[in-house]
mmCIF file of all heavy atoms in Angstrom:
data_model
loop_
_atom_site.group_PDB
_atom_site.id
_atom_site.type_symbol
_atom_site.label_atom_id
_atom_site.label_comp_id
_atom_site.label_asym_id
_atom_site.label_seq_id
_atom_site.Cartn_x
_atom_site.Cartn_y
_atom_site.Cartn_z
ATOM 1 N N ALA A 86 4.636 -2.931 -12.952
ATOM 2 C CA ALA A 86 5.930 -3.357 -13.730
ATOM 3 C C ALA A 86 5.631 -2.993 -15.287
ATOM 4 O O ALA A 86 6.673 -2.461 -15.893
ATOM 5 C CB ALA A 86 6.350 -4.686 -13.592
ATOM 6 N N LEU A 87 4.577 -3.368 -15.754
ATOM 7 C CA LEU A 87 4.332 -3.120 -17.105
ATOM 8 C C LEU A 87 4.181 -1.616 -17.439
ATOM 9 O O LEU A 87 4.782 -1.232 -18.574
ATOM 10 C CB LEU A 87 2.900 -3.843 -17.618
ATOM 11 C CG LEU A 87 2.937 -5.413 -17.580
ATOM 12 C CD1 LEU A 87 1.564 -5.946 -17.789
ATOM 13 C CD2 LEU A 87 3.904 -5.864 -18.650
ATOM 14 N N GLU A 88 3.473 -0.941 -16.599
ATOM 15 C CA GLU A 88 3.444 0.622 -16.908
ATOM 16 C C GLU A 88 4.742 1.245 -16.809
ATOM 17 O O GLU A 88 5.133 2.150 -17.557
ATOM 18 C CB GLU A 88 2.451 1.162 -15.909
ATOM 19 C CG GLU A 88 0.926 0.810 -16.191
ATOM 20 C CD GLU A 88 0.028 1.506 -15.265
ATOM 21 O OE1 GLU A 88 0.432 2.415 -14.527
ATOM 22 O OE2 GLU A 88 -1.186 1.207 -15.454
ATOM 23 N N LEU A 89 5.599 0.872 -15.780
ATOM 24 C CA LEU A 89 6.840 1.470 -15.653
ATOM 25 C C LEU A 89 7.857 1.114 -16.776
ATOM 26 O O LEU A 89 8.536 2.005 -17.283
ATOM 27 C CB LEU A 89 7.454 1.103 -14.277
ATOM 28 C CG LEU A 89 8.718 1.919 -13.906
ATOM 29 C CD1 LEU A 89 8.429 3.327 -13.764
ATOM 30 C CD2 LEU A 89 9.194 1.472 -12.472
ATOM 31 N N ALA A 90 7.693 -0.095 -17.255
ATOM 32 C CA ALA A 90 8.548 -0.486 -18.276
ATOM 33 C C ALA A 90 8.184 0.197 -19.562
ATOM 34 O O ALA A 90 9.072 0.634 -20.394
ATOM 35 C CB ALA A 90 8.442 -1.927 -18.511
ATOM 36 N N ALA A 91 6.923 0.523 -19.725
ATOM 37 C CA ALA A 91 6.382 1.240 -20.929
ATOM 38 C C ALA A 91 6.944 2.592 -20.864
ATOM 39 O O ALA A 91 7.199 3.198 -22.009
ATOM 40 C CB ALA A 91 4.868 1.292 -21.017
ATOM 41 N N LEU A 92 6.984 3.224 -19.722
ATOM 42 C CA LEU A 92 7.378 4.564 -19.537
ATOM 43 C C LEU A 92 9.024 4.620 -19.962
ATOM 44 O O LEU A 92 9.488 5.483 -20.691
ATOM 45 C CB LEU A 92 7.121 5.114 -18.190
ATOM 46 C CG LEU A 92 5.795 5.468 -17.749
ATOM 47 C CD1 LEU A 92 5.744 5.867 -16.309
ATOM 48 C CD2 LEU A 92 5.241 6.698 -18.611
ATOM 49 N N PHE A 93 9.745 3.568 -19.468
ATOM 50 C CA PHE A 93 11.151 3.560 -19.821
ATOM 51 C C PHE A 93 11.401 3.428 -21.333
ATOM 52 O O PHE A 93 12.252 3.978 -21.845
ATOM 53 C CB PHE A 93 11.820 2.453 -19.023
ATOM 54 C CG PHE A 93 11.931 2.719 -17.583
ATOM 55 C CD1 PHE A 93 12.335 1.704 -16.702
ATOM 56 C CD2 PHE A 93 11.695 3.884 -17.013
ATOM 57 C CE1 PHE A 93 12.429 1.873 -15.424
ATOM 58 C CE2 PHE A 93 11.794 4.154 -15.638
ATOM 59 C CZ PHE A 93 12.188 3.171 -14.715
ATOM 60 N N ARG A 94 10.468 2.603 -21.944
ATOM 61 C CA ARG A 94 10.730 2.479 -23.394
ATOM 62 C C ARG A 94 10.426 3.755 -24.099
ATOM 63 O O ARG A 94 11.100 4.133 -25.089
ATOM 64 C CB ARG A 94 9.750 1.299 -24.053
ATOM 65 C CG ARG A 94 10.198 -0.098 -23.517
ATOM 66 C CD ARG A 94 9.417 -1.095 -24.281
ATOM 67 N NE ARG A 94 7.975 -1.013 -24.085
ATOM 68 C CZ ARG A 94 7.277 -1.727 -23.149
ATOM 69 N NH1 ARG A 94 8.078 -2.438 -22.306
ATOM 70 N NH2 ARG A 94 6.090 -1.662 -23.104
ATOM 71 N N ARG A 95 9.476 4.481 -23.621
ATOM 72 C CA ARG A 95 9.164 5.863 -24.229
ATOM 73 C C ARG A 95 10.511 6.708 -24.013
ATOM 74 O O ARG A 95 10.662 7.723 -24.906
ATOM 75 C CB ARG A 95 7.934 6.491 -23.553
ATOM 76 C CG ARG A 95 6.688 5.866 -24.025
ATOM 77 C CD ARG A 95 5.611 6.767 -23.559
ATOM 78 N NE ARG A 95 5.518 8.096 -23.906
ATOM 79 C CZ ARG A 95 4.506 8.901 -23.987
ATOM 80 N NH1 ARG A 95 3.343 8.455 -23.692
ATOM 81 N NH2 ARG A 95 4.694 10.159 -24.495
ATOM 82 N N ALA A 96 11.069 6.574 -23.087
ATOM 83 C CA ALA A 96 12.466 7.379 -22.796
ATOM 84 C C ALA A 96 13.681 6.845 -23.463
ATOM 85 O O ALA A 96 14.718 7.332 -23.182
ATOM 86 C CB ALA A 96 12.608 7.459 -21.309
ATOM 87 N N GLY A 97 13.489 5.789 -24.212
ATOM 88 C CA GLY A 97 14.630 5.225 -24.992
ATOM 89 C C GLY A 97 15.329 4.030 -24.356
ATOM 90 O O GLY A 97 16.417 3.550 -24.850
ATOM 91 N N MET A 98 14.819 3.519 -23.216
ATOM 92 C CA MET A 98 15.399 2.506 -22.516
ATOM 93 C C MET A 98 14.670 1.217 -22.839
ATOM 94 O O MET A 98 13.423 1.226 -23.094
ATOM 95 C CB MET A 98 15.461 2.683 -20.994
ATOM 96 C CG MET A 98 16.418 3.797 -20.603
ATOM 97 S SD MET A 98 16.219 4.218 -18.852
ATOM 98 C CE MET A 98 14.784 5.338 -18.784
ATOM 99 N N HIS A 99 15.244 0.049 -22.701
ATOM 100 C CA HIS A 99 14.666 -1.203 -23.025
ATOM 101 C C HIS A 99 14.791 -2.394 -21.889
ATOM 102 O O HIS A 99 15.673 -3.141 -22.135
ATOM 103 C CB HIS A 99 15.140 -1.734 -24.390
ATOM 104 C CG HIS A 99 14.771 -0.791 -25.505
ATOM 105 N ND1 HIS A 99 13.533 -0.779 -26.087
ATOM 106 C CD2 HIS A 99 15.573 0.115 -26.113
ATOM 107 C CE1 HIS A 99 13.657 0.175 -27.060
ATOM 108 N NE2 HIS A 99 14.790 0.760 -27.144
ATOM 109 N N PRO A 100 14.067 -2.152 -20.811
ATOM 110 C CA PRO A 100 14.198 -3.239 -19.759
ATOM 111 C C PRO A 100 13.653 -4.515 -20.258
ATOM 112 O O PRO A 100 12.914 -4.558 -21.211
ATOM 113 C CB PRO A 100 13.399 -2.586 -18.652
ATOM 114 C CG PRO A 100 12.388 -1.768 -19.344
ATOM 115 C CD PRO A 100 13.027 -1.158 -20.589
ATOM 116 N N SER A 101 14.047 -5.505 -19.587
ATOM 117 C CA SER A 101 13.505 -6.902 -19.779
ATOM 118 C C SER A 101 12.069 -6.907 -19.083
ATOM 119 O O SER A 101 11.823 -7.418 -17.970
ATOM 120 C CB SER A 101 14.444 -7.987 -19.234
ATOM 121 O OG SER A 101 15.614 -8.104 -19.922
ATOM 122 N N THR A 102 11.111 -6.562 -19.922
ATOM 123 C CA THR A 102 9.787 -6.260 -19.382
ATOM 124 C C THR A 102 9.213 -7.628 -18.863
ATOM 125 O O THR A 102 8.627 -7.526 -17.650
ATOM 126 C CB THR A 102 8.884 -5.676 -20.489
ATOM 127 O OG1 THR A 102 9.425 -4.520 -20.961
ATOM 128 C CG2 THR A 102 7.440 -5.478 -19.925
ATOM 129 N N ARG A 163 22.518 1.032 -19.759
ATOM 130 C CA ARG A 163 21.222 1.841 -19.739
ATOM 131 C C ARG A 163 20.042 0.924 -19.414
ATOM 132 O O ARG A 163 19.107 1.245 -18.635
ATOM 133 C CB ARG A 163 21.071 2.432 -21.068
ATOM 134 C CG ARG A 163 19.812 3.219 -21.312
ATOM 135 C CD ARG A 163 19.440 3.442 -22.789
ATOM 136 N NE ARG A 163 19.332 2.221 -23.556
ATOM 137 C CZ ARG A 163 19.466 2.173 -24.843
ATOM 138 N NH1 ARG A 163 19.935 3.197 -25.455
ATOM 139 N NH2 ARG A 163 19.271 0.969 -25.399
ATOM 140 N N ASP A 164 19.985 -0.249 -20.011
ATOM 141 C CA ASP A 164 18.830 -1.133 -20.045
ATOM 142 C C ASP A 164 18.817 -2.016 -18.661
ATOM 143 O O ASP A 164 17.797 -2.261 -18.179
ATOM 144 C CB ASP A 164 18.744 -2.002 -21.228
ATOM 145 C CG ASP A 164 18.540 -1.269 -22.434
ATOM 146 O OD1 ASP A 164 18.112 0.058 -22.363
ATOM 147 O OD2 ASP A 164 18.745 -1.784 -23.591
ATOM 148 N N LEU A 165 19.927 -2.467 -18.186
ATOM 149 C CA LEU A 165 19.862 -3.338 -17.106
ATOM 150 C C LEU A 165 19.535 -2.605 -15.809
ATOM 151 O O LEU A 165 18.653 -3.120 -15.088
ATOM 152 C CB LEU A 165 21.421 -3.906 -16.827
ATOM 153 C CG LEU A 165 21.535 -4.714 -15.598
ATOM 154 C CD1 LEU A 165 20.537 -5.943 -15.568
ATOM 155 C CD2 LEU A 165 22.965 -5.370 -15.573
ATOM 156 N N PRO A 166 20.065 -1.406 -15.580
ATOM 157 C CA PRO A 166 19.550 -0.607 -14.465
ATOM 158 C C PRO A 166 18.000 -0.356 -14.474
ATOM 159 O O PRO A 166 17.260 -0.302 -13.493
ATOM 160 C CB PRO A 166 20.282 0.737 -14.402
ATOM 161 C CG PRO A 166 21.641 0.302 -15.163
ATOM 162 C CD PRO A 166 21.145 -0.674 -16.231
ATOM 163 N N ALA A 167 17.549 -0.137 -15.811
ATOM 164 C CA ALA A 167 16.181 0.068 -15.960
ATOM 165 C C ALA A 167 15.310 -1.211 -15.549
ATOM 166 O O ALA A 167 14.273 -1.040 -14.817
ATOM 167 C CB ALA A 167 15.781 0.358 -17.402
ATOM 168 N N THR A 168 15.825 -2.319 -15.872
ATOM 169 C CA THR A 168 15.204 -3.647 -15.428
ATOM 170 C C THR A 168 15.192 -3.672 -13.904
ATOM 171 O O THR A 168 14.223 -3.951 -13.153
ATOM 172 C CB THR A 168 15.845 -4.880 -15.995
ATOM 173 O OG1 THR A 168 15.806 -4.692 -17.486
ATOM 174 C CG2 THR A 168 15.157 -6.097 -15.533
ATOM 175 N N TRP A 169 16.259 -3.331 -13.342
ATOM 176 C CA TRP A 169 16.480 -3.413 -11.796
ATOM 177 C C TRP A 169 15.520 -2.387 -11.178
ATOM 178 O O TRP A 169 14.887 -2.725 -10.132
ATOM 179 C CB TRP A 169 17.881 -3.161 -11.378
ATOM 180 C CG TRP A 169 18.890 -4.222 -11.705
ATOM 181 C CD1 TRP A 169 18.533 -5.424 -12.159
ATOM 182 C CD2 TRP A 169 20.300 -4.148 -11.528
ATOM 183 N NE1 TRP A 169 19.634 -6.182 -12.302
ATOM 184 C CE2 TRP A 169 20.765 -5.431 -11.975
ATOM 185 C CE3 TRP A 169 21.217 -3.207 -11.129
ATOM 186 C CZ2 TRP A 169 22.109 -5.729 -11.927
ATOM 187 C CZ3 TRP A 169 22.507 -3.524 -11.123
ATOM 188 C CH2 TRP A 169 23.062 -4.687 -11.495
ATOM 189 N N LEU A 170 15.287 -1.213 -11.712
ATOM 190 C CA LEU A 170 14.448 -0.210 -11.186
ATOM 191 C C LEU A 170 12.950 -0.569 -11.273
ATOM 192 O O LEU A 170 12.273 -0.395 -10.260
ATOM 193 C CB LEU A 170 14.673 1.161 -11.886
ATOM 194 C CG LEU A 170 13.857 2.322 -11.289
ATOM 195 C CD1 LEU A 170 14.080 2.534 -9.685
ATOM 196 C CD2 LEU A 170 14.167 3.607 -12.036
ATOM 197 N N VAL A 171 12.646 -1.325 -12.287
ATOM 198 C CA VAL A 171 11.165 -1.881 -12.460
ATOM 199 C C VAL A 171 10.973 -2.814 -11.293
ATOM 200 O O VAL A 171 9.979 -2.768 -10.655
ATOM 201 C CB VAL A 171 10.993 -2.439 -13.789
ATOM 202 C CG1 VAL A 171 9.700 -3.193 -13.847
ATOM 203 C CG2 VAL A 171 11.040 -1.394 -14.873
ATOM 204 N N ILE A 172 11.859 -3.858 -11.133
ATOM 205 C CA ILE A 172 11.709 -4.797 -10.060
ATOM 206 C C ILE A 172 11.670 -4.140 -8.708
ATOM 207 O O ILE A 172 10.920 -4.504 -7.874
ATOM 208 C CB ILE A 172 12.865 -5.851 -10.200
ATOM 209 C CG1 ILE A 172 12.827 -6.564 -11.574
ATOM 210 C CG2 ILE A 172 12.786 -6.790 -9.059
ATOM 211 C CD1 ILE A 172 13.993 -7.530 -11.827
ATOM 212 N N TYR A 174 10.907 -1.067 -7.784
ATOM 213 C CA TYR A 174 9.788 -0.109 -7.608
ATOM 214 C C TYR A 174 8.464 -0.913 -7.545
ATOM 215 O O TYR A 174 7.646 -0.831 -6.589
ATOM 216 C CB TYR A 174 9.659 0.790 -8.785
ATOM 217 C CG TYR A 174 8.619 1.963 -8.508
ATOM 218 C CD1 TYR A 174 9.030 3.222 -7.896
ATOM 219 C CD2 TYR A 174 7.291 1.757 -8.893
ATOM 220 C CE1 TYR A 174 8.125 4.162 -7.748
ATOM 221 C CE2 TYR A 174 6.413 2.821 -8.657
ATOM 222 C CZ TYR A 174 6.760 3.992 -8.074
ATOM 223 O OH TYR A 174 5.838 5.041 -7.862
ATOM 224 N N LEU A 319 8.336 12.271 -11.886
ATOM 225 C CA LEU A 319 9.582 12.383 -12.484
ATOM 226 C C LEU A 319 9.710 11.428 -13.661
ATOM 227 O O LEU A 319 10.262 11.667 -14.753
ATOM 228 C CB LEU A 319 10.606 12.172 -11.411
ATOM 229 C CG LEU A 319 12.170 12.235 -11.962
ATOM 230 C CD1 LEU A 319 12.486 13.593 -12.569
ATOM 231 C CD2 LEU A 319 12.999 11.967 -10.845
ATOM 232 N N PHE A 320 9.313 10.102 -13.322
ATOM 233 C CA PHE A 320 9.298 9.115 -14.405
ATOM 234 C C PHE A 320 8.508 9.600 -15.584
ATOM 235 O O PHE A 320 8.865 9.448 -16.770
ATOM 236 C CB PHE A 320 8.778 7.815 -13.867
ATOM 237 C CG PHE A 320 9.490 7.120 -12.780
ATOM 238 C CD1 PHE A 320 8.911 6.352 -11.853
ATOM 239 C CD2 PHE A 320 10.888 7.422 -12.685
ATOM 240 C CE1 PHE A 320 9.727 5.654 -10.807
ATOM 241 C CE2 PHE A 320 11.685 6.742 -11.662
ATOM 242 C CZ PHE A 320 11.026 5.937 -10.768
ATOM 243 N N LYS A 321 7.312 10.109 -15.422
ATOM 244 C CA LYS A 321 6.425 10.424 -16.498
ATOM 245 C C LYS A 321 6.990 11.604 -17.233
ATOM 246 O O LYS A 321 6.940 11.678 -18.554
ATOM 247 C CB LYS A 321 5.046 10.767 -15.905
ATOM 248 C CG LYS A 321 4.341 9.598 -15.402
ATOM 249 C CD LYS A 321 2.846 9.960 -15.074
ATOM 250 C CE LYS A 321 2.718 10.830 -13.852
ATOM 251 N NZ LYS A 321 1.365 11.169 -13.451
ATOM 252 N N SER A 323 10.116 12.456 -17.556
ATOM 253 C CA SER A 323 11.285 11.988 -18.287
ATOM 254 C C SER A 323 10.831 11.315 -19.502
ATOM 255 O O SER A 323 11.538 11.442 -20.591
ATOM 256 C CB SER A 323 12.222 11.049 -17.407
ATOM 257 O OG SER A 323 12.705 11.751 -16.275
ATOM 258 N N ALA A 324 9.760 10.552 -19.585
ATOM 259 C CA ALA A 324 9.195 9.858 -20.676
ATOM 260 C C ALA A 324 8.246 10.741 -21.506
ATOM 261 O O ALA A 324 7.862 10.247 -22.600
ATOM 262 C CB ALA A 324 8.438 8.716 -20.223
#
Side-chain angles (χ1 to χ4, degrees):
L87 290 172
E88 289 186 4
L89 191 54
L92 288 176
F93 286 170
R94 287 195 298 273
R95 288 188 57 156
M98 293 172 278
H99 298 281
S101 297
T102 302
R163 177 194 66 199
D164 296 341
L165 178 56
T168 302
W169 287 353
L170 183 54
V171 171
I172 294 172
Y174 191 94
L319 176 63
F320 293 155
K321 292 186 294 185
S323 298

